[in-house]
Amino acid sequence: YLLEHVTDPVEAVRQMLRITRPGGVLACQENDLHNVLYWPPIDGMDELMERFCRLQTELSGAPFIGRKLFDIFKKAGADDITLSFEPEIYTEDAPDGYREWLSNAHDILFGARDALTGRHMIARPEIDAVLSEMNRRIERPNGVALFYWNRITARKSMERV
């Protein structure tokens, strides 16, 4: 969960390769915030996530870094690159995991509330309505939350020192 937060992810991977022994393996798991789905939908969530992603981009973050992993590792000089997805699926039938997922998502969005409203990206009542609906689902889980992580493994070639 590092590359979405660095200014130059290609250089970060180059440095990872630099300190990896020849033949060693690098592994990363990153998100792509386009892949957060709730059913039934949470009113206003799609708009809030779009604005949250725009805020992260304006703050030099990369909310869609997961889809870029192959290109980043290729540019950094990694070999034997393999991509995969790891789903996270939460349902009302397993309420503890569902609550944990929703609570984490709620806390992240709540933490961005002042920045989002201060930059006039969303009105306080709009974000508060989404957060309130998330709290209702935390208290009484219904539906599902779907997400997947973008994973990559790569090898440092034996020739690279």
Side-chain angles (χ1 to χ4, degrees):
Y1 319 125
L2 168 75
L3 296 178
E4 73 176 293
H5 300 290
V6 299
T7 306
D8 188 344
V10 173
E11 182 58 26
V13 173
R14 278 190 189 117
Q15 292 304 315
M16 289 181 207
L17 283 168
R18 183 183 64 76
I19 63 172
T20 300
R21 67 175 171 75
V25 175
L26 295 178
C28 287
Q29 177 171 281
E30 298 288 341
N31 68 41
D32 188 317
L33 291 182
H34 175 72
N35 304 319
V36 181
L37 302 171
Y38 297 96
W39 188 261
I42 296 174
D43 289 337
M45 179 62 87
D46 290 342
E47 296 84 1
L48 174 55
M49 287 304 296
E50 182 272 324
R51 292 168 187 163
F52 177 78
C53 291
R54 189 164 19 118
L55 173 66
Q56 187 176 5
T57 301
E58 286 181 11
L59 296 173
S60 300
F64 310 115
I65 194 83
R67 66 184 74 173
K68 301 173 185 177
L69 289 176
F70 182 83
D71 189 50
I72 290 166
F73 274 64
K74 194 79 169 166
K75 286 179 180 175
D79 296 311
D80 298 326
I81 300 169
T82 303
L83 296 173
S84 64
F85 289 131
E86 178 62 32
E88 287 208 31
I89 301 169
Y90 300 100
T91 72
E92 63 189 51
D93 287 345
D96 291 341
Y98 191 53
R99 282 187 181 104
E100 187 176 321
W101 173 263
L102 280 170
S103 294
N104 184 57
H106 175 279
D107 292 349
I108 290 168
L109 294 171
F110 181 80
R113 184 174 68 168
D114 289 344
L116 286 162
T117 58
R119 290 173 180 248
H120 307 289
M121 297 174 111
I122 193 167
R124 179 71 56 126
E126 288 178 69
I127 192 169
D128 285 348
V130 174
L131 294 171
S132 291
E133 177 57 28
M134 292 178 84
N135 277 329
R136 278 191 286 283
R137 288 203 189 178
I138 290 165
E139 292 168 10
R140 294 193 58 196
N142 74 308
V144 299
L146 307 168
F147 182 74
Y148 66 83
W149 294 101
N150 298 268
R151 290 181 167 178
I152 189 164
T153 59
R155 189 170 305 281
K156 179 177 179 176
S157 80
M158 294 299 285
E159 291 84 42
R160 287 185 61 163
V161 180

PDB file of all heavy atoms in Angstrom, residues 53-86:
ATOM      1  N   CYS A  53     -11.067  10.611  -4.908  1.00  0.00           N
ATOM      2  CA  CYS A  53      -9.970  10.270  -5.823  1.00  0.00           C
ATOM      3  C   CYS A  53      -9.347  11.530  -6.424  1.00  0.00           C
ATOM      4  O   CYS A  53      -8.117  11.609  -6.564  1.00  0.00           O
ATOM      5  CB  CYS A  53     -10.459   9.338  -6.922  1.00  0.00           C
ATOM      6  SG  CYS A  53     -10.871   7.684  -6.320  1.00  0.00           S
ATOM      7  N   ARG A  54     -10.166  12.501  -6.750  1.00  0.00           N
ATOM      8  CA  ARG A  54      -9.634  13.766  -7.277  1.00  0.00           C
ATOM      9  C   ARG A  54      -8.784  14.461  -6.212  1.00  0.00           C
ATOM     10  O   ARG A  54      -7.703  14.977  -6.508  1.00  0.00           O
ATOM     11  CB  ARG A  54     -10.773  14.676  -7.737  1.00  0.00           C
ATOM     12  CG  ARG A  54     -10.271  15.892  -8.479  1.00  0.00           C
ATOM     13  CD  ARG A  54     -11.337  16.631  -9.279  1.00  0.00           C
ATOM     14  NE  ARG A  54     -12.699  16.366  -8.907  1.00  0.00           N
ATOM     15  CZ  ARG A  54     -13.547  17.289  -8.445  1.00  0.00           C
ATOM     16  NH1 ARG A  54     -13.160  18.529  -8.279  1.00  0.00           N
ATOM     17  NH2 ARG A  54     -14.791  16.965  -8.162  1.00  0.00           N
ATOM     18  N   LEU A  55      -9.247  14.453  -4.959  1.00  0.00           N
ATOM     19  CA  LEU A  55      -8.464  15.038  -3.867  1.00  0.00           C
ATOM     20  C   LEU A  55      -7.127  14.322  -3.730  1.00  0.00           C
ATOM     21  O   LEU A  55      -6.073  14.970  -3.632  1.00  0.00           O
ATOM     22  CB  LEU A  55      -9.237  14.952  -2.545  1.00  0.00           C
ATOM     23  CG  LEU A  55      -8.473  15.380  -1.295  1.00  0.00           C
ATOM     24  CD1 LEU A  55      -8.150  16.880  -1.339  1.00  0.00           C
ATOM     25  CD2 LEU A  55      -9.260  15.028  -0.044  1.00  0.00           C
ATOM     26  N   GLN A  56      -7.142  12.999  -3.719  1.00  0.00           N
ATOM     27  CA  GLN A  56      -5.891  12.253  -3.578  1.00  0.00           C
ATOM     28  C   GLN A  56      -4.943  12.602  -4.728  1.00  0.00           C
ATOM     29  O   GLN A  56      -3.743  12.768  -4.511  1.00  0.00           O
ATOM     30  CB  GLN A  56      -6.155  10.754  -3.529  1.00  0.00           C
ATOM     31  CG  GLN A  56      -4.902   9.961  -3.202  1.00  0.00           C
ATOM     32  CD  GLN A  56      -5.137   8.465  -3.057  1.00  0.00           C
ATOM     33  OE1 GLN A  56      -6.235   7.967  -3.289  1.00  0.00           O
ATOM     34  NE2 GLN A  56      -4.104   7.754  -2.693  1.00  0.00           N
ATOM     35  N   THR A  57      -5.463  12.732  -5.938  1.00  0.00           N
ATOM     36  CA  THR A  57      -4.636  13.097  -7.088  1.00  0.00           C
ATOM     37  C   THR A  57      -4.055  14.495  -6.913  1.00  0.00           C
ATOM     38  O   THR A  57      -2.864  14.719  -7.165  1.00  0.00           O
ATOM     39  CB  THR A  57      -5.455  13.006  -8.387  1.00  0.00           C
ATOM     40  OG1 THR A  57      -5.935  11.667  -8.533  1.00  0.00           O
ATOM     41  CG2 THR A  57      -4.624  13.374  -9.599  1.00  0.00           C
ATOM     42  N   GLU A  58      -4.874  15.436  -6.473  1.00  0.00           N
ATOM     43  CA  GLU A  58      -4.391  16.804  -6.248  1.00  0.00           C
ATOM     44  C   GLU A  58      -3.310  16.852  -5.168  1.00  0.00           C
ATOM     45  O   GLU A  58      -2.451  17.734  -5.199  1.00  0.00           O
ATOM     46  CB  GLU A  58      -5.550  17.730  -5.869  1.00  0.00           C
ATOM     47  CG  GLU A  58      -6.441  18.072  -7.032  1.00  0.00           C
ATOM     48  CD  GLU A  58      -7.570  19.017  -6.661  1.00  0.00           C
ATOM     49  OE1 GLU A  58      -7.562  19.581  -5.536  1.00  0.00           O
ATOM     50  OE2 GLU A  58      -8.475  19.190  -7.506  1.00  0.00           O
ATOM     51  N   LEU A  59      -3.350  15.916  -4.238  1.00  0.00           N
ATOM     52  CA  LEU A  59      -2.357  15.864  -3.162  1.00  0.00           C
ATOM     53  C   LEU A  59      -1.167  14.974  -3.543  1.00  0.00           C
ATOM     54  O   LEU A  59      -0.411  14.549  -2.683  1.00  0.00           O
ATOM     55  CB  LEU A  59      -3.004  15.366  -1.867  1.00  0.00           C
ATOM     56  CG  LEU A  59      -4.098  16.270  -1.296  1.00  0.00           C
ATOM     57  CD1 LEU A  59      -4.782  15.611  -0.108  1.00  0.00           C
ATOM     58  CD2 LEU A  59      -3.543  17.637  -0.929  1.00  0.00           C
ATOM     59  N   SER A  60      -1.022  14.698  -4.845  1.00  0.00           N
ATOM     60  CA  SER A  60       0.075  13.904  -5.422  1.00  0.00           C
ATOM     61  C   SER A  60      -0.030  12.416  -5.126  1.00  0.00           C
ATOM     62  O   SER A  60       0.957  11.700  -5.223  1.00  0.00           O
ATOM     63  CB  SER A  60       1.444  14.439  -4.982  1.00  0.00           C
ATOM     64  OG  SER A  60       1.594  15.769  -5.413  1.00  0.00           O
ATOM     65  N   GLY A  61      -1.208  11.957  -4.775  1.00  0.00           N
ATOM     66  CA  GLY A  61      -1.427  10.529  -4.601  1.00  0.00           C
ATOM     67  C   GLY A  61      -1.890   9.899  -5.902  1.00  0.00           C
ATOM     68  O   GLY A  61      -2.089  10.587  -6.901  1.00  0.00           O
ATOM     69  N   ALA A  62      -2.070   8.598  -5.903  1.00  0.00           N
ATOM     70  CA  ALA A  62      -2.461   7.870  -7.109  1.00  0.00           C
ATOM     71  C   ALA A  62      -3.550   6.853  -6.762  1.00  0.00           C
ATOM     72  O   ALA A  62      -3.254   5.682  -6.515  1.00  0.00           O
ATOM     73  CB  ALA A  62      -1.251   7.189  -7.731  1.00  0.00           C
ATOM     74  N   PRO A  63      -4.823   7.279  -6.748  1.00  0.00           N
ATOM     75  CA  PRO A  63      -5.892   6.373  -6.347  1.00  0.00           C
ATOM     76  C   PRO A  63      -6.142   5.218  -7.318  1.00  0.00           C
ATOM     77  O   PRO A  63      -6.820   4.266  -6.965  1.00  0.00           O
ATOM     78  CB  PRO A  63      -7.116   7.283  -6.266  1.00  0.00           C
ATOM     79  CG  PRO A  63      -6.809   8.411  -7.201  1.00  0.00           C
ATOM     80  CD  PRO A  63      -5.326   8.604  -7.108  1.00  0.00           C
ATOM     81  N   PHE A  64      -5.581   5.290  -8.520  1.00  0.00           N
ATOM     82  CA  PHE A  64      -5.782   4.239  -9.520  1.00  0.00           C
ATOM     83  C   PHE A  64      -4.471   3.533  -9.854  1.00  0.00           C
ATOM     84  O   PHE A  64      -4.288   3.002 -10.938  1.00  0.00           O
ATOM     85  CB  PHE A  64      -6.409   4.829 -10.785  1.00  0.00           C
ATOM     86  CG  PHE A  64      -7.629   5.666 -10.496  1.00  0.00           C
ATOM     87  CD1 PHE A  64      -7.629   7.023 -10.752  1.00  0.00           C
ATOM     88  CD2 PHE A  64      -8.761   5.094  -9.944  1.00  0.00           C
ATOM     89  CE1 PHE A  64      -8.747   7.795 -10.477  1.00  0.00           C
ATOM     90  CE2 PHE A  64      -9.882   5.853  -9.663  1.00  0.00           C
ATOM     91  CZ  PHE A  64      -9.877   7.213  -9.925  1.00  0.00           C
ATOM     92  N   ILE A  65      -3.554   3.496  -8.902  1.00  0.00           N
ATOM     93  CA  ILE A  65      -2.212   2.944  -9.126  1.00  0.00           C
ATOM     94  C   ILE A  65      -2.255   1.456  -9.477  1.00  0.00           C
ATOM     95  O   ILE A  65      -1.406   0.967 -10.227  1.00  0.00           O
ATOM     96  CB  ILE A  65      -1.303   3.183  -7.890  1.00  0.00           C
ATOM     97  CG1 ILE A  65       0.166   2.945  -8.224  1.00  0.00           C
ATOM     98  CG2 ILE A  65      -1.727   2.344  -6.707  1.00  0.00           C
ATOM     99  CD1 ILE A  65       0.845   4.092  -8.863  1.00  0.00           C
ATOM    100  N   GLY A  66      -3.251   0.737  -8.984  1.00  0.00           N
ATOM    101  CA  GLY A  66      -3.311  -0.703  -9.218  1.00  0.00           C
ATOM    102  C   GLY A  66      -3.288  -1.079 -10.683  1.00  0.00           C
ATOM    103  O   GLY A  66      -2.628  -2.043 -11.075  1.00  0.00           O
ATOM    104  N   ARG A  67      -3.972  -0.319 -11.514  1.00  0.00           N
ATOM    105  CA  ARG A  67      -4.019  -0.647 -12.941  1.00  0.00           C
ATOM    106  C   ARG A  67      -2.712  -0.322 -13.648  1.00  0.00           C
ATOM    107  O   ARG A  67      -2.500  -0.723 -14.781  1.00  0.00           O
ATOM    108  CB  ARG A  67      -5.184   0.076 -13.619  1.00  0.00           C
ATOM    109  CG  ARG A  67      -5.036   1.582 -13.641  1.00  0.00           C
ATOM    110  CD  ARG A  67      -6.225   2.291 -14.211  1.00  0.00           C
ATOM    111  NE  ARG A  67      -7.327   2.277 -13.265  1.00  0.00           N
ATOM    112  CZ  ARG A  67      -8.457   2.941 -13.428  1.00  0.00           C
ATOM    113  NH1 ARG A  67      -8.648   3.660 -14.503  1.00  0.00           N
ATOM    114  NH2 ARG A  67      -9.399   2.879 -12.527  1.00  0.00           N
ATOM    115  N   LYS A  68      -1.831   0.416 -12.976  1.00  0.00           N
ATOM    116  CA  LYS A  68      -0.580   0.858 -13.584  1.00  0.00           C
ATOM    117  C   LYS A  68       0.624   0.018 -13.163  1.00  0.00           C
ATOM    118  O   LYS A  68       1.750   0.279 -13.585  1.00  0.00           O
ATOM    119  CB  LYS A  68      -0.324   2.324 -13.201  1.00  0.00           C
ATOM    120  CG  LYS A  68      -1.436   3.257 -13.646  1.00  0.00           C
ATOM    121  CD  LYS A  68      -1.219   4.646 -13.107  1.00  0.00           C
ATOM    122  CE  LYS A  68      -2.394   5.544 -13.446  1.00  0.00           C
ATOM    123  NZ  LYS A  68      -2.221   6.884 -12.868  1.00  0.00           N
ATOM    124  N   LEU A  69       0.419  -0.983 -12.324  1.00  0.00           N
ATOM    125  CA  LEU A  69       1.541  -1.721 -11.747  1.00  0.00           C
ATOM    126  C   LEU A  69       2.442  -2.366 -12.796  1.00  0.00           C
ATOM    127  O   LEU A  69       3.672  -2.319 -12.676  1.00  0.00           O
ATOM    128  CB  LEU A  69       1.041  -2.780 -10.767  1.00  0.00           C
ATOM    129  CG  LEU A  69       0.483  -2.252  -9.452  1.00  0.00           C
ATOM    130  CD1 LEU A  69      -0.073  -3.394  -8.620  1.00  0.00           C
ATOM    131  CD2 LEU A  69       1.536  -1.477  -8.689  1.00  0.00           C
ATOM    132  N   PHE A  70       1.866  -2.995 -13.801  1.00  0.00           N
ATOM    133  CA  PHE A  70       2.691  -3.660 -14.808  1.00  0.00           C
ATOM    134  C   PHE A  70       3.629  -2.650 -15.463  1.00  0.00           C
ATOM    135  O   PHE A  70       4.840  -2.885 -15.570  1.00  0.00           O
ATOM    136  CB  PHE A  70       1.819  -4.345 -15.874  1.00  0.00           C
ATOM    137  CG  PHE A  70       2.627  -5.076 -16.908  1.00  0.00           C
ATOM    138  CD1 PHE A  70       3.097  -6.356 -16.662  1.00  0.00           C
ATOM    139  CD2 PHE A  70       2.930  -4.474 -18.122  1.00  0.00           C
ATOM    140  CE1 PHE A  70       3.853  -7.030 -17.606  1.00  0.00           C
ATOM    141  CE2 PHE A  70       3.686  -5.135 -19.080  1.00  0.00           C
ATOM    142  CZ  PHE A  70       4.149  -6.412 -18.820  1.00  0.00           C
ATOM    143  N   ASP A  71       3.080  -1.534 -15.895  1.00  0.00           N
ATOM    144  CA  ASP A  71       3.876  -0.509 -16.559  1.00  0.00           C
ATOM    145  C   ASP A  71       4.967   0.037 -15.636  1.00  0.00           C
ATOM    146  O   ASP A  71       6.117   0.224 -16.050  1.00  0.00           O
ATOM    147  CB  ASP A  71       2.967   0.624 -17.033  1.00  0.00           C
ATOM    148  CG  ASP A  71       3.677   1.612 -17.920  1.00  0.00           C
ATOM    149  OD1 ASP A  71       4.340   1.183 -18.892  1.00  0.00           O
ATOM    150  OD2 ASP A  71       3.582   2.826 -17.643  1.00  0.00           O
ATOM    151  N   ILE A  72       4.637   0.275 -14.376  1.00  0.00           N
ATOM    152  CA  ILE A  72       5.599   0.795 -13.402  1.00  0.00           C
ATOM    153  C   ILE A  72       6.767  -0.173 -13.232  1.00  0.00           C
ATOM    154  O   ILE A  72       7.932   0.216 -13.292  1.00  0.00           O
ATOM    155  CB  ILE A  72       4.902   1.070 -12.052  1.00  0.00           C
ATOM    156  CG1 ILE A  72       3.956   2.265 -12.193  1.00  0.00           C
ATOM    157  CG2 ILE A  72       5.915   1.287 -10.934  1.00  0.00           C
ATOM    158  CD1 ILE A  72       2.986   2.414 -11.046  1.00  0.00           C
ATOM    159  N   PHE A  73       6.461  -1.451 -13.026  1.00  0.00           N
ATOM    160  CA  PHE A  73       7.513  -2.445 -12.816  1.00  0.00           C
ATOM    161  C   PHE A  73       8.339  -2.662 -14.079  1.00  0.00           C
ATOM    162  O   PHE A  73       9.547  -2.846 -14.007  1.00  0.00           O
ATOM    163  CB  PHE A  73       6.906  -3.758 -12.310  1.00  0.00           C
ATOM    164  CG  PHE A  73       6.730  -3.791 -10.823  1.00  0.00           C
ATOM    165  CD1 PHE A  73       5.868  -2.915 -10.176  1.00  0.00           C
ATOM    166  CD2 PHE A  73       7.437  -4.690 -10.051  1.00  0.00           C
ATOM    167  CE1 PHE A  73       5.710  -2.937  -8.805  1.00  0.00           C
ATOM    168  CE2 PHE A  73       7.293  -4.718  -8.669  1.00  0.00           C
ATOM    169  CZ  PHE A  73       6.431  -3.838  -8.043  1.00  0.00           C
ATOM    170  N   LYS A  74       7.694  -2.616 -15.229  1.00  0.00           N
ATOM    171  CA  LYS A  74       8.416  -2.772 -16.497  1.00  0.00           C
ATOM    172  C   LYS A  74       9.401  -1.614 -16.674  1.00  0.00           C
ATOM    173  O   LYS A  74      10.570  -1.831 -17.000  1.00  0.00           O
ATOM    174  CB  LYS A  74       7.403  -2.813 -17.650  1.00  0.00           C
ATOM    175  CG  LYS A  74       7.926  -3.291 -18.939  1.00  0.00           C
ATOM    176  CD  LYS A  74       8.004  -4.792 -18.909  1.00  0.00           C
ATOM    177  CE  LYS A  74       8.271  -5.305 -20.308  1.00  0.00           C
ATOM    178  NZ  LYS A  74       8.672  -6.686 -20.266  1.00  0.00           N
ATOM    179  N   LYS A  75       8.933  -0.381 -16.457  1.00  0.00           N
ATOM    180  CA  LYS A  75       9.803   0.795 -16.598  1.00  0.00           C
ATOM    181  C   LYS A  75      10.943   0.771 -15.583  1.00  0.00           C
ATOM    182  O   LYS A  75      12.026   1.285 -15.854  1.00  0.00           O
ATOM    183  CB  LYS A  75       8.994   2.080 -16.440  1.00  0.00           C
ATOM    184  CG  LYS A  75       8.129   2.387 -17.632  1.00  0.00           C
ATOM    185  CD  LYS A  75       7.324   3.653 -17.402  1.00  0.00           C
ATOM    186  CE  LYS A  75       6.452   3.953 -18.612  1.00  0.00           C
ATOM    187  NZ  LYS A  75       5.577   5.116 -18.367  1.00  0.00           N
ATOM    188  N   ALA A  76      10.702   0.182 -14.425  1.00  0.00           N
ATOM    189  CA  ALA A  76      11.735   0.121 -13.386  1.00  0.00           C
ATOM    190  C   ALA A  76      12.780  -0.947 -13.677  1.00  0.00           C
ATOM    191  O   ALA A  76      13.822  -0.984 -13.019  1.00  0.00           O
ATOM    192  CB  ALA A  76      11.091  -0.135 -12.023  1.00  0.00           C
ATOM    193  N   GLY A  77      12.512  -1.824 -14.647  1.00  0.00           N
ATOM    194  CA  GLY A  77      13.488  -2.835 -15.019  1.00  0.00           C
ATOM    195  C   GLY A  77      13.275  -4.200 -14.392  1.00  0.00           C
ATOM    196  O   GLY A  77      14.186  -5.036 -14.419  1.00  0.00           O
ATOM    197  N   ALA A  78      12.103  -4.462 -13.852  1.00  0.00           N
ATOM    198  CA  ALA A  78      11.826  -5.763 -13.246  1.00  0.00           C
ATOM    199  C   ALA A  78      11.629  -6.831 -14.328  1.00  0.00           C
ATOM    200  O   ALA A  78      11.245  -6.522 -15.457  1.00  0.00           O
ATOM    201  CB  ALA A  78      10.584  -5.679 -12.369  1.00  0.00           C
ATOM    202  N   ASP A  79      11.889  -8.077 -13.962  1.00  0.00           N
ATOM    203  CA  ASP A  79      11.718  -9.217 -14.867  1.00  0.00           C
ATOM    204  C   ASP A  79      10.658 -10.163 -14.320  1.00  0.00           C
ATOM    205  O   ASP A  79      10.306 -10.104 -13.142  1.00  0.00           O
ATOM    206  CB  ASP A  79      13.039  -9.983 -14.997  1.00  0.00           C
ATOM    207  CG  ASP A  79      14.129  -9.141 -15.645  1.00  0.00           C
ATOM    208  OD1 ASP A  79      13.863  -8.538 -16.699  1.00  0.00           O
ATOM    209  OD2 ASP A  79      15.230  -9.079 -15.063  1.00  0.00           O
ATOM    210  N   ASP A  80      10.179 -11.063 -15.175  1.00  0.00           N
ATOM    211  CA  ASP A  80       9.221 -12.104 -14.780  1.00  0.00           C
ATOM    212  C   ASP A  80       8.041 -11.515 -13.998  1.00  0.00           C
ATOM    213  O   ASP A  80       7.719 -11.940 -12.879  1.00  0.00           O
ATOM    214  CB  ASP A  80       9.896 -13.193 -13.940  1.00  0.00           C
ATOM    215  CG  ASP A  80      10.995 -13.914 -14.708  1.00  0.00           C
ATOM    216  OD1 ASP A  80      10.843 -14.071 -15.932  1.00  0.00           O
ATOM    217  OD2 ASP A  80      11.998 -14.293 -14.074  1.00  0.00           O
ATOM    218  N   ILE A  81       7.396 -10.531 -14.587  1.00  0.00           N
ATOM    219  CA  ILE A  81       6.293  -9.818 -13.929  1.00  0.00           C
ATOM    220  C   ILE A  81       5.012 -10.640 -14.029  1.00  0.00           C
ATOM    221  O   ILE A  81       4.645 -11.115 -15.092  1.00  0.00           O
ATOM    222  CB  ILE A  81       6.092  -8.435 -14.573  1.00  0.00           C
ATOM    223  CG1 ILE A  81       7.369  -7.592 -14.425  1.00  0.00           C
ATOM    224  CG2 ILE A  81       4.892  -7.728 -13.970  1.00  0.00           C
ATOM    225  CD1 ILE A  81       7.369  -6.317 -15.240  1.00  0.00           C
ATOM    226  N   THR A  82       4.336 -10.789 -12.896  1.00  0.00           N
ATOM    227  CA  THR A  82       3.055 -11.488 -12.844  1.00  0.00           C
ATOM    228  C   THR A  82       2.049 -10.622 -12.106  1.00  0.00           C
ATOM    229  O   THR A  82       2.319 -10.157 -10.998  1.00  0.00           O
ATOM    230  CB  THR A  82       3.188 -12.843 -12.109  1.00  0.00           C
ATOM    231  OG1 THR A  82       4.183 -13.626 -12.775  1.00  0.00           O
ATOM    232  CG2 THR A  82       1.870 -13.591 -12.089  1.00  0.00           C
ATOM    233  N   LEU A  83       0.899 -10.427 -12.714  1.00  0.00           N
ATOM    234  CA  LEU A  83      -0.194  -9.670 -12.101  1.00  0.00           C
ATOM    235  C   LEU A  83      -1.277 -10.623 -11.611  1.00  0.00           C
ATOM    236  O   LEU A  83      -1.499 -11.680 -12.210  1.00  0.00           O
ATOM    237  CB  LEU A  83      -0.834  -8.723 -13.117  1.00  0.00           C
ATOM    238  CG  LEU A  83       0.033  -7.607 -13.666  1.00  0.00           C
ATOM    239  CD1 LEU A  83      -0.708  -6.887 -14.783  1.00  0.00           C
ATOM    240  CD2 LEU A  83       0.413  -6.633 -12.570  1.00  0.00           C
ATOM    241  N   SER A  84      -1.964 -10.212 -10.545  1.00  0.00           N
ATOM    242  CA  SER A  84      -3.124 -10.976 -10.073  1.00  0.00           C
ATOM    243  C   SER A  84      -4.039 -10.050  -9.288  1.00  0.00           C
ATOM    244  O   SER A  84      -3.660  -8.935  -8.930  1.00  0.00           O
ATOM    245  CB  SER A  84      -2.680 -12.162  -9.211  1.00  0.00           C
ATOM    246  OG  SER A  84      -2.032 -11.699  -8.043  1.00  0.00           O
ATOM    247  N   PHE A  85      -5.245 -10.526  -9.052  1.00  0.00           N
ATOM    248  CA  PHE A  85      -6.234  -9.822  -8.247  1.00  0.00           C
ATOM    249  C   PHE A  85      -6.484 -10.621  -6.977  1.00  0.00           C
ATOM    250  O   PHE A  85      -6.445 -11.848  -6.997  1.00  0.00           O
ATOM    251  CB  PHE A  85      -7.588  -9.711  -8.969  1.00  0.00           C
ATOM    252  CG  PHE A  85      -7.612  -8.782 -10.125  1.00  0.00           C
ATOM    253  CD1 PHE A  85      -8.136  -9.196 -11.336  1.00  0.00           C
ATOM    254  CD2 PHE A  85      -7.162  -7.484 -10.023  1.00  0.00           C
ATOM    255  CE1 PHE A  85      -8.204  -8.344 -12.416  1.00  0.00           C
ATOM    256  CE2 PHE A  85      -7.220  -6.623 -11.093  1.00  0.00           C
ATOM    257  CZ  PHE A  85      -7.741  -7.057 -12.297  1.00  0.00           C
ATOM    258  N   GLU A  86      -6.791  -9.922  -5.910  1.00  0.00           N
ATOM    259  CA  GLU A  86      -7.218 -10.574  -4.679  1.00  0.00           C
ATOM    260  C   GLU A  86      -8.519  -9.910  -4.244  1.00  0.00           C
ATOM    261  O   GLU A  86      -8.522  -8.752  -3.825  1.00  0.00           O
ATOM    262  CB  GLU A  86      -6.166 -10.440  -3.589  1.00  0.00           C
ATOM    263  CG  GLU A  86      -6.572 -11.052  -2.272  1.00  0.00           C
ATOM    264  CD  GLU A  86      -6.803 -12.561  -2.354  1.00  0.00           C
ATOM    265  OE1 GLU A  86      -6.134 -13.246  -3.144  1.00  0.00           O
ATOM    266  OE2 GLU A  86      -7.660 -13.055  -1.609  1.00  0.00           O
TER     267      GLU A  86
END
